[in-house]
Amino acid sequence: MKRWWRPRTLRGRFVLIMLLGVLGAQVASYGIWSWQENRERLMRLDTLSRHLAESLAATVRYFSSLPYEYRHIVLDQLRDMGGTRFFVSVNDHRIALPSTPGGSAREMVATNLRDGLVQELGQREMYIGFSRPSDLRVFNNEVPLAELPAHWAHRSLAIRPLSTPILVVQMPLEGGNWLFVATSLPMAESLEDATWLSGDRLFVSIAVLLTVIALSLWGIRWSTRPLSILAKAARRLGDDLESPPLAERGPRELRDTAMAFNRMSERIRHQVEERERLFSAISHDLKTPITRLRLRAEMLDSSTQREAFIRSLDEMDQLVKGALASVKGLDLHETTSAIDVDALVKDIMEDLAVHEGTSIHLEGHAGWLSAKPLALKRCLANLIENAIFYAQRVDIALHRNYEHIAICINDDGPGIPQAQRERVFEPFVRLEPSRSRHTGGSGLGLAIARHIVRAHGGEIYLNESIAGGLNVRLSLPLAH
């Protein structure tokens, strides 16, 4: 769930923002639209019910003014002619109406009718309610409305077929009779409380969302494509300083970004070249005085002083060679190609098999990897040679999954204290008291190995092995 709410890509975040914006806008617009529609519906019903109260009051006054013996004659003539919008009858009792589900609209209509009739006719007894056409009973014998002649009911109620709620008003008349008036409102559908999200609105919402998703995916992909190109160019620059520059085209912001990236890559190449020239010049200039001092040391009379001078000169010469090796080890200008990691490790093991007393075991399978051959060989050779130098037994395990290749080198040597495991990756750092059986080395092997692994997009980890020594684990991505 967290992945949906926090996309890892900029494209996914843009799409999420668009969807949330569209959903929020639709919810707000539908809410406002539904509120306005309901408000206008209630206003129309309010006006209609007030006019209906006036017409109903006039009908009541008319039938109240008729002599009793003429009422049924007038009613029969009205039914035959269809001269009124009301279905009217005079009954000898009040007909009970079945209860029907109500709503705010029906309550408002009933209240307006009651208030209007009281205002027009004065305070009197009246019963107002709604009935379904199938449940409505009329006349003294309470015959169902559906069984009446069609022209009686349909002309009066003005709806065919009868399906909408019917408004019924009953009032007592002189002589113990009851006036029964039924009508269907012209806006009968407005009596039902509207649902906020109907099927039509839901369909429109889904259609809008799908359209927004499609347009967003296309537009955002088109807009963010230059960022993907920039990311690939940055990865290429990390692997190969001689990678071609970015094309400086597109919108102004993208052109400015491409120009800045190209200038940065050019400065990086220039600084690396300057560093290489500087180290080469320093090493070349130091070799001559070191050789001269070595010759002068050979002419010293005291053997003790001669040996001390020679040791110091050897150490200085080793530092110079280490600096040159560092520059060459960090030079990754070679072309990337497919490498059989299994064969590469076996070749390194054969080259280092001259070390007596150390057994090396290999297991697992890594397969092929796209990498820089000489750089990767130098990295693995440094690590395996380091393990052989300090241990009696070295176990190398190769693993492969769909994303990475892992190379684990375990030894039974003295290991490296946890507090020092990050420090040993610094150039010229050696842990003589805890790590070596012999002296030697310039302390550049791990620094060069980490640089090569990271240049390939991987990482190197140091931990304690099962045998108590050092566990070195390389993780290299298959696609970099």
Side-chain angles (χ1 to χ4, degrees), residues 235 239 336 368-371 400-405 456-458 476-480:
R235 286 194 294 268
D239 298 337
T336 300
W368 292 81
L369 175 70
S370 179
R400 182 187 184 94
N401 57 29
Y402 63 94
E403 288 185 343
H404 295 86
I405 281 179
H456 285 82
L476 295 169
L478 292 177
H480 176 60

Side-chain angles (χ1 to χ4, degrees), residues 113-124 126 171:
L113 278 177
R114 187 179 303 277
D115 294 342
L117 291 174
V118 168
Q119 183 177 359
E120 295 288 337
L121 303 175
Q123 191 69 35
R124 59 190 301 176
M126 65 183 69
M171 293 184 183

Side-chain angles (χ1 to χ4, degrees), residues 15-55:
V15 172
L16 179 62
I17 291 172
M18 291 289 293
L19 290 180
L20 291 178
V22 171
L23 281 175
Q26 283 189 323
V27 170
S29 62
Y30 279 142
I32 295 173
W33 181 78
S34 298
W35 176 79
Q36 289 180 339
E37 184 186 39
N38 186 61
R39 181 169 173 269
E40 293 176 358
R41 179 176 66 91
L42 293 178
M43 289 177 62
R44 291 194 298 269
L45 280 176
D46 180 73
T47 303
L48 178 64
S49 58
R50 294 183 186 279
H51 291 165
L52 183 63
E54 295 176 0
S55 300

Side-chain angles (χ1 to χ4, degrees), residues 8 16 21 57 65 68 75 93 99 166-167 225 231 236 256 269 373 396 474:
R8 291 180 294 180
L16 179 62
S65 64
Y68 175 79
L75 288 175
H93 66 282
S99 61
I166 296 176
L167 174 65
R225 186 171 179 270
R236 284 200 308 268
D256 293 343
R269 281 193 291 268
I396 303 175
L474 280 75

Side-chain angles (χ1 to χ4, degrees), residues 240-261:
D240 183 9
L241 290 176
E242 301 301 328
S243 58
L246 279 175
E248 299 176 1
R249 60 173 181 266
R252 184 180 63 185
E253 294 82 2
L254 296 178
R255 291 199 306 270
D256 293 343
T257 303
M259 291 173 60
F261 180 83

Side-chain angles (χ1 to χ4, degrees), residues 452-464:
I452 294 173
V453 170
R454 288 183 171 178
H456 285 82
E459 191 53 86
I460 183 170
Y461 307 94
L462 301 182
N463 294 288
E464 184 178 352

Side-chain angles (χ1 to χ4, degrees), residues 132-181:
R132 290 187 291 266
S134 59
D135 299 332
L136 185 62
R137 300 291 189 269
V138 296
F139 299 137
N140 291 324
N141 56 357
E142 298 190 13
V143 62
L145 182 66
E147 296 181 5
L148 292 180
H151 66 280
W152 282 14
H154 295 160
R155 285 182 183 177
S156 299
L157 300 176
I159 291 179
R160 186 172 186 174
L162 295 173
S163 60
T164 57
I166 296 176
L167 174 65
V168 178
V169 178
Q170 299 184 76
M171 293 184 183
L173 296 176
E174 299 83 5
N177 292 324
W178 284 81
L179 180 65
F180 180 98
V181 182

